[in-house]
């Protein structure tokens, strides 16, 4: 009886342990289920978080590239502007170079000789070839008679150019006041016949403020429709350099002539006692 | 290395044209004072291009061009006229005789350089 009671007690104990085991297993399974769900949820979140991250990365990269393109376009515009600036500067330098070459050649030629007629020929060449004048005259001052005498012409016979009193008319006024004269509307004058008393340009030839003559231009070549900056530079150059070249060559020619005369006279004196 | 024959009676213009031509790399300038002098230079030197004035003593530029075009040894040489004659009929006449280009004075050195460069290789 007691043995049966012990067996029944142990069976109850075993049953209880078994029930506890069953309950524990059930709990374990539940926990397992819960964790699996959590893992799945996390995996999904992680996956979602990855796409967003990549998207963000791509967006940032696009923004950076767009900024880079923007700055490159900006730089391109700057370089283009600089290029335009360089191109226009290059043209300016070329024009300046051209002008300097003209001025250098004119100055070099004017001072290349001490022969008076040669200097006059060079002045004519400069006015024809570098300025583009078709008809003009060079006058020199006769201070005793207080008038300007034409000494060389181009396109008009020398005899057709009258003497001009200082202070009279445009040419005389230019000689008196030592100020250049330019016709205001060159285009309007272009086709009209040239008049020796009404030049389109008149430039005083002066050494400092002392006028020794004038260059008077009556007509320009048909292709020369307007004066440029270099023309005014050449007029200034002619006013000074042509004046000194003409003046010094005239003095030199006169002194050469005097020297020859004196030498001839001396030779004559030396020869006389022998006779 | 083009050899440029400058035919011009004015020393001022010869010097000015020389300034422009010297800026073309390797260009050599040979000067002649008129048409006859130019023909002598053509016979003694190898010329790649001729720059000639029209109004010159002894032989003018138009006569020079016609003689150059008649001569089998020179007829291929390009000729640029540089002149004060700005009338359209003068231009047409020069081109009809055989000039390749026509420039009027006062010249722009840059324009001259471009024109010469377009006819010669260097």
């Amino acid at each position: 009886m007691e043995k049966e009671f012990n067996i029944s007690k142990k069976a109850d104990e075993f049953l209880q342990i078994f029930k506890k085991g069953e309950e524990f297993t059930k709990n374990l399974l539940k926990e397992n289920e819960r964790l699996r769900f959590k893992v799945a949820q996390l995996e999904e979140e992680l996956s979602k978080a990855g796409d967003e991250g990549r998207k963000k990365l791509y967006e940032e990269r696009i923004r950076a590239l767009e900024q880079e393109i923007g700055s490159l376009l900006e730089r391109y515009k700057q370089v283009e502007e600089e290029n335009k600036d360089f191109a226009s500067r290059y043209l300016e330098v070329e024009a300046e170079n051209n002008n300097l070459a003209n001025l250098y050649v004119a100055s070099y030629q004017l001072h290349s000789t001490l022969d008076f007629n040669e200097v006059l020929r060079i002045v004519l060449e400069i006015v024809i070839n570098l300025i583009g004048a078709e008809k003009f005259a060079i006058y020199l001052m006769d201070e005793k008679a207080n008038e300007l005498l034409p000494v060389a012409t181009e396109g008009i016979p020398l005899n057709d150019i009258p003497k001009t009193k200082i202070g009279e008319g445009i040419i005389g006024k230019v000689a008196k006041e030592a100020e250049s004269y330019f016709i205001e509307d060159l285009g309007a004058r272009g086709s009209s016949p040239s008049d020796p008393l009404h030049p389109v340009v008149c430039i005083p030839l002066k050494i400092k403020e002392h006028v020794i003559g004038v260059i008077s231009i009556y007509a320009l070549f048909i292709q020369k429709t307007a004066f440029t900056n270099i023309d005014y530079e050449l007029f200034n150059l002619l006013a000074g350099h042509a004046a000194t070249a003409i003046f010094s060559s005239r003095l030199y020619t006169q002194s050469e002539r005097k020297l020859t005369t004196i030498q001839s006279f001396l030779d004559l004196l030396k020869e006389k006692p022998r006779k | 290395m083009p050899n440029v024959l400058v035919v011009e009676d004015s020393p001022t213009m010869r010097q000015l044209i020389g300034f422009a031509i010297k800026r073309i790399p390797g260009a050599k300038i040979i000067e002649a004072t008129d048409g006859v002098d130019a023909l002598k230079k053509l016979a003694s030197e190898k010329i790649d291009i001729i720059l000639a004035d029209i109004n010159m003593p002894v032989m003018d530029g138009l006569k020079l061009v016609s003689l150059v075009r008649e001569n089998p040894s020179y007829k291929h040489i390009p000729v640029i006229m540089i002149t004060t004659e700005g009338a359209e009929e003068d231009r047409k006449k020069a081109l009809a005789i055989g000039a390749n280009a026509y420039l009027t004075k006062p010249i722009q050195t840059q324009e001259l350089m471009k024109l010469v460069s377009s006819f010669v290789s260097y």
Side-chain angles (χ1 to χ4, degrees):
Chain A
M1 189 71 182
E2 192 180 349
K3 198 178 175 180
E4 280 180 5
F5 176 76
N6 282 341
I7 290 169
S8 169
K9 195 180 173 185
K10 277 183 184 175
D12 283 343
E13 280 176 8
F14 177 77
L15 194 64
Q16 274 178 359
I17 290 168
F18 186 81
K19 277 183 181 170
K20 275 184 182 174
E22 188 192 5
E23 198 178 336
F24 178 71
T25 304
K26 276 181 184 172
N27 286 340
L28 205 62
L29 283 170
K30 269 186 187 173
E31 188 63 21
N32 188 25
E33 189 66 22
R34 195 184 65 78
L35 286 172
R36 284 177 78 176
F37 177 74
K38 186 77 182 166
V39 166
Q41 204 177 24
L42 283 171
E43 271 180 351
E44 197 183 328
E45 275 176 19
L46 191 67
S47 151
K48 277 183 186 171
D51 282 349
E52 285 293 313
R54 267 195 294 275
K55 200 177 166 190
K56 269 186 184 174
L57 192 74
Y58 290 144
E59 278 172 0
E60 275 169 21
R61 187 87 186 109
I62 287 166
R63 264 198 297 276
L65 285 170
E66 275 173 349
Q67 271 179 356
E68 208 171 324
I69 288 168
S71 83
L72 282 172
L73 279 172
E74 191 64 29
R75 184 80 193 111
Y76 174 76
K77 275 180 194 166
Q78 277 176 2
V79 171
E80 207 175 24
E81 284 301 310
E82 277 171 19
N83 270 352
K84 275 182 195 166
D85 195 39
F86 282 134
S88 83
R89 191 83 194 99
Y90 175 77
L91 288 178
E92 275 174 29
V93 170
E94 275 296 320
E96 197 66 26
N97 204 10
N98 183 38
N99 294 352
L100 286 173
N102 276 278
L103 294 174
Y104 173 80
V105 169
S107 174
Y108 179 94
Q109 291 292 332
L110 281 171
H111 298 292
S112 64
T113 179
L114 279 170
D115 183 290
F116 176 67
N117 291 321
E118 184 76 357
V119 171
L120 285 182
R121 186 190 59 75
I122 290 167
V123 175
L124 294 180
E125 269 189 19
I126 291 169
V127 179
I128 296 168
N129 294 305
L130 302 191
I131 290 173
E134 189 184 10
K135 293 176 183 176
F136 61 94
I138 303 170
Y139 293 81
L140 289 181
M141 184 86 87
D142 180 348
E143 290 190 11
K144 283 178 190 165
N146 197 37
E147 61 187 12
L148 291 161
L149 301 174
V151 290
T153 58
E154 176 66 30
I156 309 176
L158 188 62
N159 294 336
D160 290 359
I161 306 291
K163 293 175 184 176
T164 303
K165 283 280 175 194
I166 306 298
E168 281 181 11
I170 295 167
I171 298 166
K173 212 173 164 187
V174 165
K176 190 183 178 188
E177 293 173 3
E179 290 292 332
S180 297
Y181 166 84
F182 303 97
I183 196 166
E184 280 179 18
D185 189 358
L186 195 61
R189 171 63 193 256
S191 58
S192 67
S194 44
D195 173 1
L197 297 177
H198 295 93
V200 289
V201 175
C202 195
I203 312 147
L205 299 172
K206 51 186 183 182
I207 298 168
K208 292 199 172 171
E209 290 310 309
H210 179 67
V211 176
I212 65 144
V214 299
I215 296 174
S216 190
I217 300 174
Y218 306 111
L220 302 168
F221 289 118
I222 51 168
Q223 66 269 24
K224 184 83 180 180
T225 51
F227 290 124
T228 58
N229 285 343
I230 183 61
D231 293 321
Y232 295 108
E233 296 280 350
L234 279 166
F235 291 143
N236 284 337
L237 181 131
L238 282 171
H241 288 242
T244 49
I246 288 171
F247 187 76
S248 53
S249 65
R250 191 162 60 168
L251 281 183
Y252 183 79
T253 306
Q254 282 170 356
S255 61
E256 278 281 287
R257 206 176 296 147
K258 279 180 189 169
L259 185 68
T260 311
T261 312
I262 292 166
Q263 193 61 52
S264 304
F265 184 67
L266 286 173
D267 289 345
L268 201 67
L269 283 176
K270 279 180 195 169
E271 277 173 18
K272 268 194 175 176
R274 283 183 215 157
K275 288 179 184 175
Chain B
M1 291 267 224
N3 283 351
V4 184
L5 177 61
V6 179
V7 193
E8 173 62 79
D9 60 322
S10 155
T12 310
M13 277 310 290
R14 284 203 302 273
Q15 194 183 15
L16 190 67
I17 293 168
F19 258 108
I21 302 304
K22 275 178 200 164
R23 296 178 62 198
I24 298 172
K28 184 186 164 195
I29 299 149
I30 296 135
E31 293 185 358
T33 52
D34 56 62
V36 172
D37 193 18
L39 290 172
K40 285 180 193 165
K41 297 283 162 61
L42 278 163
S44 62
E45 308 254 4
K46 185 197 164 291
I47 302 296
D48 297 299
I49 187 165
I50 301 168
L51 310 182
D53 186 13
I54 289 184
N55 300 320
M56 289 183 292
V58 189
M59 183 195 285
D60 68 29
L62 295 176
K63 180 72 182 166
L64 171 68
V65 177
S66 61
L67 290 175
V68 164
R69 291 292 172 251
E70 283 168 14
N71 190 317
S73 307
Y74 315 137
K75 65 179 181 186
H76 64 282
I77 301 173
V79 182
I80 299 173
M81 308 305 300
I82 301 174
T83 177
T84 52
E85 309 298 331
E88 192 51 34
E89 56 265 37
D90 293 317
R91 175 187 294 269
K92 281 180 182 166
K93 191 178 170 188
L95 296 176
I97 286 171
N100 296 79
Y102 195 90
L103 267 187
T104 52
K105 296 175 186 174
I107 56 161
Q108 293 295 313
T109 51
Q110 224 186 334
E111 194 185 354
L112 175 64
M113 277 171 66
K114 269 188 194 168
L115 201 53
V116 171
S117 302
S118 70
F119 284 109
V120 292
S121 53
Y122 51 89

